[in-house]
Amino acid sequence: MDKSPLSVTLSGVTLQNPVVPASGCFGFGYGMAEFYDIDILGSISFKGTTRDARFGNPLPRVAECSAGLINSVGLQNPGIDAVIAEELPKMREVFHQPIIANISGFSIDEYVECCSKIDGEDQVAIIELNVSCPNVHGGGMSFGTCCESVSEVVKEVKRVITKPLYVKLTPNVTDIVAIGRSAVEAGADGLCLINTMLGMRIDLKRRQPVIANRMGGFSGPAVFPVAVRMVNQVAHACGVPVIGCGGVSTAADVIEMMMAGATAVEVGAANLINPYACKEIVEGLPAEMHRLGIDNLTDIIGIV
Amino acid sequence: MLTTNINNDFKVISNRRLTHKTWVMTLGGDTRAITAPGQFVNVAIPGKYLRRPISICDYSHERGELVLLYDVVGEGTEAMSLMAPGTTVNLLTGLGNGFSTDPSHDHPLLLGGGIGCAPLLNLARRLRTMGKSPVAVLGYNTAADSFGMERWFEEIGVEAFIATVDGSLGTKGFVTDVIREKGLPGDYFHACGPMPMLRALCTGLDIPGEVSIESRMGCGFGACVCCSVETANGAKRICKDGPVFRKEELIWK
Ligand SMILES: Cc1cc2nc3c(=O)[nH]c(=O)nc-3n(C[C@H](O)[C@H](O)[C@H](O)COP(=O)(O)OP(=O)(O)OC[C@H]3O[C@@H](n4cnc5c(N)ncnc54)[C@H](O)[C@@H]3O)c2cc1C
Ligand SMILES: Cc1cc2nc3c(=O)[nH]c(=O)nc-3n(C[C@H](O)[C@H](O)[C@H](O)COP(=O)(O)O)c2cc1C
Ligand code: FES
């Protein structure tokens, strides 16, 4: 059978197309299945999951920005056991493509425990390690901002899992290539970037931060050029497949990310202002490829 | 189950100023995703990234129209006030759970505070068609804030009383003062308004009821959990599980 011109492969996992809703912007998919048949998507990266249930941060958790938003949800999730017992079964009813499991943690033990539990789940094809969380044993510094802590968490997690491990990098670092390299040297099968950029807005009338937690993660079209640049640098330097993320809103953006070096592309904020965003991107890809003279998406990965 | 397309372009039919801050906009388009009074729409504002959640004040599937009542409080609502008839506006429609219209309550009280009166109009219409006898109480800070909504209720056969904090119109005080003063019989209340008012109703009125609450929203349809509140039944999304919650669900700290 001929390979579909849209399909891409991440560490042996074939996706029917490169379009993947990003973690935290699509829940566990089944809510979005009210709006369209989500089986048309390449994959879904589900909501960041931790060992214990978390309510997350106080409200307000969201602030508007030019061409984007700041969120400080604070990793609200029901905890890994409830995700496996309740969320995944509901997700599997409406979604039959490979699933990307986004795992967060505040200690190495927590990452290891969550990853080993999710590794055994059918349909979970890739584990995506969100290393943007503060390390409670490391003075609260985010795991993803230092080569040693990234390397340590990747090594420990790799010991207990069988599925491909993708490390989701934070852009809030001086040298993202160095962090990416450390992850790959420690055994990461691929990289995903970027997570949100730390940002802040102030309510001028109240003279207070808009977000109750003062700061939060900035994302949306405004960060797209930063994401393209980082994907380009990391993809060429690290020698593993990259999932590009940050500000993607259209089929043309997907192609730009892929030319920069991404094998698959995650879409975050765009889903929040238009629940049909990923559907429109998937449906728009063939015409965009035709317009640009692209026969197979795999032909353009990293050509720039 | 697949719902009707919720992302639709509407056309502004009219957009009028009612008071120093309140406007009323009528829009024409596909209203089919709207299923209950108290639901809201999320309005796309050109040049703004996030949409603006606004309650559906009234709607008609037959005419394909909906009415929004809004206060101009910032750049987004200011931009809405400048939308001339004929302007295309993109809306996500039919968001949220809406008010319950439980058949077991015959004398519902509809309690609104300021712009929070908006979603009560369609609720009143729905309750009337169900043969109920609702009564509305509309609270404002001062006479200048009142946008004449009592007449809209009266047009559909629902008596509406007014309270103003400064006594410049109707009863001096709060909606609770009207209920007491007029001895209004009520076996259930539906309320929308500022949080201090809703707190007073939930903790003070000894009849069952439900209230519509608000928060800043990322999406408005349940995807981002930017609007979660802790309730007696665990974390709930105001946009999807709400905005209407039974009074015993809410935790008043
Ligand atoms: C479910 C729901 C129903 C609503 N119904 C109505 C209504 O019928 N009529 C009406 O006038 N207003 C209503 N509001 C409030 C309305 O959404 C805000 O007044 C409006 O978003 C302000 O936008 P702005 O750009 O003018 O203000 P800005 O202060 O410039 O807005 C900045 C950001 O904060 C958000 N924001 C500011 N105030 C509020 C608020 N009170 N609630 C939620 N988000 C806010 C805005 O959406 C925007 O993202 C409702 C809110 C919710 C959540
Ligand atoms: C509301 C919201 C919640 C998010 N939650 C998570 C999360 O739980 N785990 C994670 O790795 N990234 C999370 N992210 C980051 C996104 O997955 C994505 O990396 C980032 O938003 C950049 O993409 P975008 O510009 O398309 O939004 C979240 C983003 C948003 C807007
Ligand atoms: S605003 Fe996104 S879940 Fe409520």
Side-chain angles (χ1 to χ4, degrees):
Chain A
M1 200 180 77
D2 277 347
K3 188 175 137 302
S4 150
L6 294 185
S7 77
V8 295
T9 303
L10 291 169
S11 310
V13 178
T14 298
L15 311 185
Q16 59 183 344
N17 63 61
V19 182
V20 181
S23 178
C25 301
F26 217 75
F28 289 84
Y30 57 85
M32 301 301 285
E34 288 176 24
F35 302 127
Y36 62 93
D37 175 10
I38 61 171
D39 257 340
I40 63 162
L41 300 167
S43 174
I44 294 172
S45 174
F46 66 54
K47 176 65 200 169
T49 297
T50 52
R51 177 166 51 204
D52 303 314
R54 289 172 56 84
F55 173 69
N57 290 329
L59 301 184
R61 291 178 175 184
V62 59
E64 188 176 56
C65 308
S66 300
L69 73 151
I70 294 174
N71 90 83
S72 101
V73 166
L75 286 172
Q76 179 180 335
N77 80 92
I80 186 75
D81 293 332
V83 164
I84 290 172
E86 288 153 36
E87 303 294 329
L88 279 182
K90 285 192 237 172
M91 187 169 183
R92 288 190 188 105
E93 271 176 37
V94 286
F95 188 63
H96 308 91
Q97 307 297 329
I99 292 171
I100 299 179
N102 186 281
I103 299 293
S104 297
F106 297 86
S107 68
I108 297 211
D109 288 350
E110 182 174 359
Y111 279 113
V112 167
E113 182 179 336
C114 294
C115 290
S116 71
K117 282 182 173 166
I118 208 75
D119 191 58
E121 287 301 305
D122 281 353
Q123 225 179 306
V124 168
I126 289 174
I127 297 175
E128 183 178 83
L129 213 58
N130 171 9
V131 290
S132 299
C133 321
N135 177 358
V136 289
H137 301 303
M141 218 178 61
S142 150
F143 279 98
T145 54
C146 131
C147 295
E148 288 72 37
S149 50
V150 166
S151 167
E152 201 187 341
V153 69
V154 170
K155 275 187 195 139
E156 295 304 318
V157 167
K158 275 298 278 187
R159 262 191 246 286
V160 298
I161 63 168
T162 58
K163 290 179 176 161
L165 180 68
Y166 277 57
V167 177
K168 183 164 177 185
L169 303 178
T170 165
N172 305 309
V173 294
T174 35
D175 185 357
I176 195 158
V177 170
I179 308 272
R181 280 207 184 102
S182 305
V184 173
E185 279 158 19
D189 300 283
L191 299 167
C192 171
L193 65 153
I194 57 176
N195 210 315
T196 52
M197 308 185 70
L198 264 185
M200 180 175 181
R201 291 301 308 271
I202 292 169
D203 182 328
L204 303 183
K205 285 187 212 144
R206 286 171 44 244
R207 303 184 179 195
Q208 291 286 329
V210 171
I211 299 265
N213 203 34
R214 296 186 76 83
M215 352 185 219
F218 177 41
S219 73
V223 309
F224 183 66
V226 179
V228 170
R229 185 268 293 179
M230 289 185 160
V231 164
N232 191 239
Q233 289 179 307
V234 167
H236 287 304
C238 294
V240 291
V242 165
I243 304 176
C245 178
V248 174
S249 318
T250 63
D253 293 346
V254 168
I255 289 174
E256 188 167 339
M257 269 293 184
M258 294 186 75
M259 286 187 178
T263 299
V265 176
E266 289 187 2
V267 181
N271 294 294
L272 307 184
I273 57 164
N274 174 12
Y276 305 95
C278 283
K279 177 178 193 275
E280 289 168 13
I281 293 174
V282 169
E283 290 170 354
L285 269 173
E288 202 59 33
M289 287 164 65
H290 180 73
R291 191 172 73 86
L292 297 166
I294 300 166
D295 294 328
N296 290 293
L297 280 181
T298 46
D299 298 343
I300 60 161
I301 297 171
I303 55 165
V304 174
Chain B
M1 201 190 61
L2 230 56
T3 54
T4 328
N5 180 18
I6 65 162
N7 185 333
N8 291 296
D9 282 344
F10 279 68
K11 275 235 175 340
V12 176
I13 295 172
S14 67
N15 192 13
R16 253 171 346 106
R17 183 180 204 138
L18 296 176
T19 72
H20 62 106
K21 63 174 178 188
T22 305
W23 290 66
V24 59
M25 183 189 279
T26 304
L27 296 138
D30 187 344
T31 57
R32 281 176 302 171
I34 305 169
T35 55
Q39 288 186 317
F40 65 98
V41 295
N42 221 351
V43 184
I45 310 282
K48 296 283 168 195
Y49 195 67
L50 295 179
R51 291 168 179 269
R52 300 303 190 259
I54 304 287
S55 299
I56 297 163
C57 171
D58 206 1
Y59 70 97
S60 155
H61 287 319
E62 296 75 54
R63 289 200 303 278
E65 282 180 20
L66 62 85
V67 179
L68 306 178
L69 259 177
Y70 61 98
D71 277 352
V72 173
V73 296
E75 289 179 12
T77 44
E78 163 97 52
M80 282 177 67
S81 73
L82 299 174
M83 292 174 178
T87 306
T88 300
V89 190
N90 181 266
L91 305 181
L92 303 181
T93 53
L95 304 178
N97 57 353
F99 289 112
S100 67
T101 41
D102 189 324
S104 64
H105 306 113
D106 289 325
H107 298 283
L109 292 175
L110 313 183
L111 311 174
I115 200 68
C117 297
L120 302 178
L121 184 71
N122 186 260
L123 174 62
R125 194 185 291 286
R126 179 72 62 100
L127 292 167
R128 287 291 292 155
T129 57
M130 294 171 67
K132 309 288 176 186
S133 314
V135 172
V137 187
L138 314 174
Y140 305 100
N141 280 320
T142 182
D145 293 351
S146 163
F147 33 83
M149 206 181 181
E150 63 283 4
R151 290 191 298 276
W152 306 0
F153 281 100
E154 278 151 19
E155 277 168 20
I156 55 174
V158 172
E159 194 172 11
F161 299 92
I162 292 179
T164 50
V165 178
D166 65 2
S168 51
L169 188 69
T171 299
K172 181 174 163 60
F174 301 102
V175 292
T176 40
D177 295 310
V178 176
I179 299 171
R180 206 172 310 118
E181 188 188 289
K182 311 275 180 200
L184 297 180
D187 51 10
Y188 197 80
F189 71 89
H190 306 269
C192 183
M195 281 311 246
M197 165 185 158
L198 300 182
R199 171 200 290 263
L201 296 175
C202 288
T203 55
L205 283 185
D206 55 9
I207 51 174
E210 60 180 13
V211 300
S212 179
I213 62 174
E214 63 181 35
S215 78
R216 290 194 180 223
M217 289 182 175
C219 64
F221 49 84
C224 69
V225 292
C226 282
C227 64
S228 282
V229 276
E230 260 173 305
T231 72
N233 305 317
K236 298 280 176 194
R237 294 159 300 181
I238 292 176
C239 71
K240 179 82 178 173
D241 309 308
V244 181
F245 292 93
R246 279 175 294 112
K247 77 169 185 186
E248 59 278 12
E249 280 181 280
L250 295 175
I251 301 165
W252 301 97
K253 291 202 185 96

Short mmCIF file of all heavy atoms in Angstrom, two decimals, chain B residues 139-182:
data_model
loop_
_atom_site.label_atom_id
_atom_site.label_comp_id
_atom_site.label_asym_id
_atom_site.label_seq_id
_atom_site.Cartn_x
_atom_site.Cartn_y
_atom_site.Cartn_z
N GLY B 139 -31.71 44.26 40.53
CA GLY B 139 -30.99 45.16 41.43
C GLY B 139 -29.94 45.97 40.69
O GLY B 139 -29.23 45.44 39.83
N TYR B 140 -29.89 47.27 41.01
CA TYR B 140 -28.87 48.15 40.41
C TYR B 140 -28.26 48.99 41.51
O TYR B 140 -28.83 49.13 42.60
CB TYR B 140 -29.50 49.07 39.36
CG TYR B 140 -30.24 48.34 38.28
CD1 TYR B 140 -31.63 48.24 38.32
CD2 TYR B 140 -29.56 47.73 37.22
CE1 TYR B 140 -32.33 47.55 37.33
CE2 TYR B 140 -30.24 47.04 36.23
CZ TYR B 140 -31.63 46.96 36.29
OH TYR B 140 -32.31 46.27 35.33
N ASN B 141 -27.13 49.62 41.21
CA ASN B 141 -26.55 50.55 42.17
C ASN B 141 -27.39 51.81 42.28
O ASN B 141 -27.66 52.31 43.35
CB ASN B 141 -25.12 50.93 41.76
CG ASN B 141 -24.14 49.84 42.14
OD1 ASN B 141 -24.25 49.25 43.22
ND2 ASN B 141 -23.22 49.55 41.25
N THR B 142 -27.79 52.31 41.10
CA THR B 142 -28.48 53.59 41.07
C THR B 142 -29.39 53.64 39.84
O THR B 142 -29.23 52.84 38.91
CB THR B 142 -27.44 54.74 41.06
OG1 THR B 142 -28.12 55.99 41.08
CG2 THR B 142 -26.54 54.68 39.82
N ALA B 143 -30.34 54.56 39.85
CA ALA B 143 -31.33 54.64 38.76
C ALA B 143 -30.67 54.72 37.39
O ALA B 143 -31.15 54.14 36.42
CB ALA B 143 -32.25 55.84 38.99
N ALA B 144 -29.54 55.44 37.31
CA ALA B 144 -28.89 55.64 36.02
C ALA B 144 -28.37 54.33 35.41
O ALA B 144 -28.12 54.25 34.21
CB ALA B 144 -27.73 56.62 36.16
N ASP B 145 -28.22 53.30 36.23
CA ASP B 145 -27.73 52.01 35.73
C ASP B 145 -28.86 51.13 35.18
O ASP B 145 -28.60 50.13 34.51
CB ASP B 145 -27.04 51.21 36.85
CG ASP B 145 -25.75 51.87 37.31
OD1 ASP B 145 -25.32 52.84 36.65
OD2 ASP B 145 -25.20 51.42 38.33
N SER B 146 -30.10 51.47 35.52
CA SER B 146 -31.22 50.63 35.11
C SER B 146 -31.48 50.81 33.62
O SER B 146 -31.55 51.93 33.13
CB SER B 146 -32.46 51.00 35.92
OG SER B 146 -33.62 50.50 35.29
N PHE B 147 -31.60 49.69 32.90
CA PHE B 147 -31.78 49.82 31.45
C PHE B 147 -33.19 49.48 30.99
O PHE B 147 -33.40 49.08 29.85
CB PHE B 147 -30.73 48.99 30.68
CG PHE B 147 -30.30 47.72 31.36
CD1 PHE B 147 -31.05 46.57 31.23
CD2 PHE B 147 -29.13 47.69 32.13
CE1 PHE B 147 -30.65 45.40 31.86
CE2 PHE B 147 -28.73 46.51 32.76
CZ PHE B 147 -29.49 45.37 32.63
N GLY B 148 -34.13 49.63 31.90
CA GLY B 148 -35.53 49.48 31.50
C GLY B 148 -35.94 48.04 31.24
O GLY B 148 -36.90 47.76 30.53
N MET B 149 -35.21 47.11 31.84
CA MET B 149 -35.48 45.71 31.55
C MET B 149 -36.81 45.23 32.12
O MET B 149 -37.39 44.25 31.62
CB MET B 149 -34.34 44.86 32.10
CG MET B 149 -34.19 43.57 31.35
SD MET B 149 -32.86 42.61 32.05
CE MET B 149 -32.93 41.21 30.95
N GLU B 150 -37.29 45.96 33.16
CA GLU B 150 -38.56 45.54 33.75
C GLU B 150 -39.67 45.51 32.70
O GLU B 150 -40.55 44.65 32.73
CB GLU B 150 -38.94 46.46 34.93
CG GLU B 150 -39.20 47.93 34.62
CD GLU B 150 -37.94 48.76 34.40
OE1 GLU B 150 -36.82 48.20 34.42
OE2 GLU B 150 -38.07 49.98 34.17
N ARG B 151 -39.59 46.41 31.72
CA ARG B 151 -40.63 46.44 30.67
C ARG B 151 -40.54 45.19 29.78
O ARG B 151 -41.55 44.68 29.32
CB ARG B 151 -40.48 47.71 29.82
CG ARG B 151 -40.87 48.98 30.59
CD ARG B 151 -40.98 50.18 29.68
NE ARG B 151 -39.71 50.49 29.02
CZ ARG B 151 -38.74 51.23 29.57
NH1 ARG B 151 -38.91 51.75 30.76
NH2 ARG B 151 -37.61 51.45 28.92
N TRP B 152 -39.31 44.72 29.56
CA TRP B 152 -39.16 43.51 28.72
C TRP B 152 -39.79 42.32 29.42
O TRP B 152 -40.38 41.45 28.79
CB TRP B 152 -37.69 43.21 28.42
CG TRP B 152 -36.91 44.33 27.82
CD1 TRP B 152 -37.37 45.59 27.52
CD2 TRP B 152 -35.53 44.30 27.46
NE1 TRP B 152 -36.36 46.34 26.99
CE2 TRP B 152 -35.21 45.58 26.94
CE3 TRP B 152 -34.53 43.33 27.53
CZ2 TRP B 152 -33.93 45.90 26.51
CZ3 TRP B 152 -33.27 43.65 27.08
CH2 TRP B 152 -32.98 44.92 26.58
N PHE B 153 -39.63 42.27 30.76
CA PHE B 153 -40.26 41.18 31.51
C PHE B 153 -41.78 41.32 31.45
O PHE B 153 -42.50 40.34 31.27
CB PHE B 153 -39.79 41.20 32.97
CG PHE B 153 -38.42 40.60 33.17
CD1 PHE B 153 -37.30 41.40 33.30
CD2 PHE B 153 -38.26 39.23 33.22
CE1 PHE B 153 -36.04 40.85 33.48
CE2 PHE B 153 -37.01 38.66 33.40
CZ PHE B 153 -35.89 39.48 33.53
N GLU B 154 -42.25 42.57 31.60
CA GLU B 154 -43.70 42.77 31.62
C GLU B 154 -44.32 42.39 30.29
O GLU B 154 -45.43 41.84 30.24
CB GLU B 154 -44.02 44.21 32.05
CG GLU B 154 -43.98 44.32 33.58
CD GLU B 154 -43.60 45.70 34.12
OE1 GLU B 154 -43.71 46.68 33.35
OE2 GLU B 154 -43.20 45.77 35.30
N GLU B 155 -43.59 42.62 29.19
CA GLU B 155 -44.10 42.23 27.86
C GLU B 155 -44.38 40.74 27.77
O GLU B 155 -45.22 40.31 26.98
CB GLU B 155 -43.09 42.60 26.76
CG GLU B 155 -43.18 44.04 26.30
CD GLU B 155 -41.99 44.45 25.44
OE1 GLU B 155 -41.31 43.55 24.89
OE2 GLU B 155 -41.74 45.66 25.33
N ILE B 156 -43.65 39.95 28.53
CA ILE B 156 -43.93 38.51 28.47
C ILE B 156 -44.71 38.05 29.70
O ILE B 156 -44.76 36.87 30.03
CB ILE B 156 -42.64 37.67 28.29
CG1 ILE B 156 -41.61 37.98 29.38
CG2 ILE B 156 -42.03 37.89 26.92
CD1 ILE B 156 -40.38 37.08 29.32
N GLY B 157 -45.34 39.03 30.37
CA GLY B 157 -46.26 38.69 31.46
C GLY B 157 -45.58 38.32 32.75
O GLY B 157 -46.11 37.55 33.55
N VAL B 158 -44.39 38.87 32.98
CA VAL B 158 -43.68 38.58 34.22
C VAL B 158 -43.49 39.88 34.99
O VAL B 158 -42.92 40.85 34.46
CB VAL B 158 -42.31 37.92 33.93
CG1 VAL B 158 -41.49 37.78 35.21
CG2 VAL B 158 -42.51 36.56 33.28
N GLU B 159 -43.99 39.91 36.22
CA GLU B 159 -43.86 41.11 37.03
C GLU B 159 -42.39 41.29 37.43
O GLU B 159 -41.72 40.32 37.78
CB GLU B 159 -44.73 40.98 38.28
CG GLU B 159 -44.92 42.30 38.98
CD GLU B 159 -45.94 42.22 40.12
OE1 GLU B 159 -46.35 41.09 40.49
OE2 GLU B 159 -46.31 43.29 40.62
N ALA B 160 -41.90 42.52 37.35
CA ALA B 160 -40.50 42.77 37.70
C ALA B 160 -40.40 43.94 38.67
O ALA B 160 -40.98 45.00 38.45
CB ALA B 160 -39.69 43.07 36.44
N PHE B 161 -39.70 43.72 39.79
CA PHE B 161 -39.48 44.77 40.78
C PHE B 161 -38.04 45.24 40.68
O PHE B 161 -37.16 44.50 40.24
CB PHE B 161 -39.73 44.23 42.19
CG PHE B 161 -41.13 43.76 42.40
CD1 PHE B 161 -41.47 42.43 42.18
CD2 PHE B 161 -42.12 44.65 42.81
CE1 PHE B 161 -42.77 41.98 42.37
CE2 PHE B 161 -43.42 44.21 43.00
CZ PHE B 161 -43.76 42.87 42.78
N ILE B 162 -37.81 46.47 41.14
CA ILE B 162 -36.45 47.02 41.07
C ILE B 162 -35.97 47.40 42.47
O ILE B 162 -36.75 47.89 43.30
CB ILE B 162 -36.42 48.26 40.15
CG1 ILE B 162 -36.68 47.82 38.70
CG2 ILE B 162 -35.09 49.01 40.25
CD1 ILE B 162 -36.70 48.93 37.70
N ALA B 163 -34.69 47.16 42.70
CA ALA B 163 -34.04 47.65 43.92
C ALA B 163 -32.83 48.46 43.49
O ALA B 163 -32.13 48.07 42.55
CB ALA B 163 -33.60 46.48 44.79
N THR B 164 -32.59 49.58 44.14
CA THR B 164 -31.32 50.30 43.93
C THR B 164 -30.67 50.53 45.29
O THR B 164 -31.36 50.77 46.29
CB THR B 164 -31.53 51.66 43.23
OG1 THR B 164 -32.55 52.38 43.91
CG2 THR B 164 -31.89 51.49 41.77
N VAL B 165 -29.36 50.43 45.29
CA VAL B 165 -28.62 50.57 46.55
C VAL B 165 -28.86 51.95 47.15
O VAL B 165 -29.04 52.10 48.36
CB VAL B 165 -27.11 50.32 46.32
CG1 VAL B 165 -26.33 50.52 47.62
CG2 VAL B 165 -26.87 48.93 45.77
N ASP B 166 -28.92 52.99 46.29
CA ASP B 166 -29.09 54.35 46.82
C ASP B 166 -30.56 54.78 46.89
O ASP B 166 -30.86 55.92 47.25
CB ASP B 166 -28.27 55.35 45.98
CG ASP B 166 -28.77 55.47 44.54
OD1 ASP B 166 -29.79 54.81 44.20
OD2 ASP B 166 -28.16 56.23 43.77
N GLY B 167 -31.46 53.90 46.52
CA GLY B 167 -32.88 54.22 46.65
C GLY B 167 -33.40 55.15 45.56
O GLY B 167 -34.55 55.62 45.63
N SER B 168 -32.60 55.42 44.52
CA SER B 168 -33.05 56.37 43.50
C SER B 168 -34.12 55.78 42.57
O SER B 168 -34.75 56.50 41.80
CB SER B 168 -31.85 56.87 42.68
OG SER B 168 -31.07 55.79 42.20
N LEU B 169 -34.33 54.48 42.64
CA LEU B 169 -35.39 53.84 41.84
C LEU B 169 -35.85 52.60 42.60
O LEU B 169 -35.02 51.85 43.15
CB LEU B 169 -34.83 53.44 40.47
CG LEU B 169 -35.81 52.92 39.42
CD1 LEU B 169 -36.75 54.05 38.94
CD2 LEU B 169 -35.06 52.34 38.22
N GLY B 170 -37.15 52.37 42.65
CA GLY B 170 -37.68 51.17 43.30
C GLY B 170 -37.37 51.14 44.79
O GLY B 170 -37.22 52.18 45.44
N THR B 171 -37.26 49.94 45.31
CA THR B 171 -36.98 49.75 46.73
C THR B 171 -35.52 50.13 47.02
O THR B 171 -34.63 49.77 46.25
CB THR B 171 -37.21 48.27 47.10
OG1 THR B 171 -38.57 47.95 46.84
CG2 THR B 171 -36.90 47.99 48.56
N LYS B 172 -35.28 50.81 48.14
CA LYS B 172 -33.89 51.11 48.51
C LYS B 172 -33.28 49.85 49.13
O LYS B 172 -33.85 49.26 50.04
CB LYS B 172 -33.86 52.26 49.51
CG LYS B 172 -32.45 52.65 49.95
CD LYS B 172 -32.51 53.90 50.83
CE LYS B 172 -31.25 54.12 51.64
NZ LYS B 172 -30.02 54.30 50.87
N GLY B 173 -32.15 49.46 48.59
CA GLY B 173 -31.48 48.29 49.16
C GLY B 173 -31.17 47.25 48.09
O GLY B 173 -30.92 47.60 46.93
N PHE B 174 -31.19 46.00 48.52
CA PHE B 174 -30.80 44.89 47.63
C PHE B 174 -32.02 44.06 47.23
O PHE B 174 -33.12 44.25 47.76
CB PHE B 174 -29.78 43.99 48.35
CG PHE B 174 -28.54 44.73 48.76
CD1 PHE B 174 -28.34 45.13 50.07
CD2 PHE B 174 -27.57 45.04 47.81
CE1 PHE B 174 -27.19 45.82 50.45
CE2 PHE B 174 -26.42 45.73 48.17
CZ PHE B 174 -26.23 46.12 49.49
N VAL B 175 -31.81 43.13 46.30
CA VAL B 175 -32.94 42.30 45.86
C VAL B 175 -33.58 41.57 47.05
O VAL B 175 -34.80 41.39 47.07
CB VAL B 175 -32.52 41.28 44.76
CG1 VAL B 175 -32.17 41.97 43.46
CG2 VAL B 175 -31.39 40.39 45.20
N THR B 176 -32.77 41.20 48.02
CA THR B 176 -33.32 40.51 49.20
C THR B 176 -34.29 41.42 49.97
O THR B 176 -35.27 40.95 50.53
CB THR B 176 -32.18 40.09 50.16
OG1 THR B 176 -31.22 41.14 50.20
CG2 THR B 176 -31.52 38.81 49.69
N ASP B 177 -34.03 42.75 49.93
CA ASP B 177 -34.93 43.68 50.61
C ASP B 177 -36.30 43.70 49.92
O ASP B 177 -37.34 43.83 50.56
CB ASP B 177 -34.32 45.08 50.65
CG ASP B 177 -33.06 45.11 51.50
OD1 ASP B 177 -33.12 44.61 52.64
OD2 ASP B 177 -32.03 45.59 51.02
N VAL B 178 -36.27 43.58 48.57
CA VAL B 178 -37.53 43.57 47.82
C VAL B 178 -38.34 42.31 48.17
O VAL B 178 -39.55 42.37 48.40
CB VAL B 178 -37.27 43.61 46.29
CG1 VAL B 178 -38.58 43.50 45.52
CG2 VAL B 178 -36.52 44.87 45.92
N ILE B 179 -37.63 41.18 48.22
CA ILE B 179 -38.33 39.92 48.51
C ILE B 179 -39.02 40.02 49.87
O ILE B 179 -40.19 39.67 50.02
CB ILE B 179 -37.33 38.73 48.51
CG1 ILE B 179 -36.67 38.60 47.13
CG2 ILE B 179 -38.03 37.43 48.90
CD1 ILE B 179 -35.52 37.61 47.08
N ARG B 180 -38.29 40.59 50.85
CA ARG B 180 -38.84 40.72 52.20
C ARG B 180 -39.99 41.73 52.20
O ARG B 180 -41.09 41.43 52.64
CB ARG B 180 -37.73 41.18 53.15
CG ARG B 180 -37.97 40.77 54.59
CD ARG B 180 -36.75 41.07 55.46
NE ARG B 180 -35.50 40.57 54.90
CZ ARG B 180 -34.46 41.34 54.55
NH1 ARG B 180 -34.52 42.65 54.69
NH2 ARG B 180 -33.37 40.81 54.05
N GLU B 181 -39.74 42.93 51.64
CA GLU B 181 -40.72 44.01 51.68
C GLU B 181 -42.02 43.62 50.99
O GLU B 181 -43.12 43.88 51.48
CB GLU B 181 -40.11 45.25 51.00
CG GLU B 181 -40.93 46.50 51.13
CD GLU B 181 -40.33 47.61 50.27
OE1 GLU B 181 -39.24 48.11 50.64
OE2 GLU B 181 -40.92 47.95 49.23
N LYS B 182 -41.89 42.98 49.80
CA LYS B 182 -43.11 42.64 49.04
C LYS B 182 -43.66 41.28 49.45
O LYS B 182 -44.69 40.85 48.92
CB LYS B 182 -42.81 42.61 47.53
CG LYS B 182 -42.07 43.82 47.00
CD LYS B 182 -43.02 44.96 46.67
CE LYS B 182 -42.22 46.15 46.13
NZ LYS B 182 -42.94 47.41 46.22
#
